[in-house]
Amino acid sequence: MGSGGMIVMDEDNCMVDIARFFLDFTVDESCGKCTPCREGTKRMLEILDRIAEGKGTMEDLDKLEKLAINIKETSLCGLGQTAPNPVLSTLKYFRDEYEAHVKEKRCPAGVCQSLLNYNITMDCKGCTKCARLCPVGAIEGKVKEIHIINQDKCSKCGACMEACTFHAIIRK
Ligand code: SF4
Ligand code: SF4
Ligand code: SF4
């Protein structure tokens, strides 16, 4: 992934999230001496954040690619010259994942928090535990009846899914 190292990942790893992780590191490490690395990596990170939040556009993908190539070619030292590699590799080999975030507002790996939805399945026993626990009052339902999550209110904290003893809450 960009630096000659090898990391084994599977379908539970989101490539947009991975690219963000590596870029976030280089944004922190950039010494600020040259503009492409100092400013360019920040702009790239902003675009990746937008994509992970489901606010990205297809134009953003092109912009991201152009910016990455530009930063690689014009940065002064190895840090800036290799910083865009994780973005370029993931864009090259996993472009479909980026496009799912942009076009379908969906994170195929189920990692990007803003794109996930919590839902209650038919396995719900109506114990009311989740409804009592939800910090924003997004869960409705009567005792011994299947509960429902109001998606407009849900802040996607995940507390209900962790708390349900019957594994009746799914995230996707
Ligand atoms: S490429 Fe090197 S010199 Fe330029 S800002 Fe980044 S770390 Fe500093
Ligand atoms: S905690 Fe689980 S079983 Fe209980 S009401 Fe919520 S979803 Fe249903
Ligand atoms: S994910 Fe959090 S906010 Fe959403 S319904 Fe569950 S407990 Fe409430």
Side-chain angles (χ1 to χ4, degrees), residues 29-38 75-81:
E29 292 300 310
S30 171
C31 78
K33 189 174 175 183
C34 64
T35 314
C37 171
R38 185 186 65 239
S75 289
L76 271 182
C77 82
L79 189 124
Q81 288 157 10

Side-chain angles (χ1 to χ4, degrees), residues 16-172:
V16 176
D17 188 60
I18 293 293
R20 271 169 94 203
F21 172 81
F22 280 95
L23 204 61
D24 193 39
F25 170 79
T26 43
V27 165
D28 279 350
E29 292 300 310
S30 171
C31 78
K33 189 174 175 183
C34 64
T35 314
C37 171
R38 185 186 65 239
E39 299 300 327
T41 52
K42 283 191 195 125
R43 298 294 86 80
M44 283 181 75
L45 191 58
E46 284 167 7
I47 296 175
L48 285 174
D49 284 343
R50 275 209 298 277
I51 294 171
E53 287 165 10
K55 296 174 187 160
T57 62
M58 289 306 283
E59 200 189 12
D60 277 333
L61 296 189
D62 294 337
K63 221 185 278 176
L64 196 58
E65 204 156 18
K66 281 186 191 145
L67 203 48
I69 293 167
N70 191 292
I71 293 167
K72 257 178 91 70
E73 288 174 353
T74 55
S75 289
L76 271 182
C77 82
L79 189 124
Q81 288 157 10
T82 55
N85 284 355
V87 174
L88 286 171
S89 334
T90 49
L91 265 175
K92 183 176 176 185
Y93 295 109
F94 302 98
R95 199 178 178 92
D96 55 326
E97 280 199 35
Y98 279 86
E99 290 186 357
H101 285 71
V102 172
K103 289 183 184 166
E104 300 164 37
K105 309 298 174 204
R106 182 175 67 85
C107 174
V111 171
C112 294
Q113 204 68 18
S114 309
L115 301 179
L116 299 179
N117 280 324
Y118 289 83
N119 284 293
I120 298 179
T121 69
M122 301 297 277
D123 292 330
C124 172
K125 306 286 183 243
C127 72
T128 76
K129 188 175 176 185
C130 58
R132 284 181 279 118
L133 207 112
C134 177
V136 293
I139 305 179
E140 292 155 22
K142 292 183 182 154
V143 183
K144 293 189 180 171
E145 285 182 12
I146 292 177
H147 283 43
I148 293 170
I149 295 177
N150 181 336
Q151 299 297 335
D152 293 334
K153 281 191 186 172
C154 174
S155 63
K156 302 173 183 183
C157 70
C160 54
M161 195 170 96
E162 271 180 41
C164 179
T165 332
F166 303 96
H167 307 292
I169 301 180
I170 53 166
R171 179 181 61 194
K172 67 176 184 179

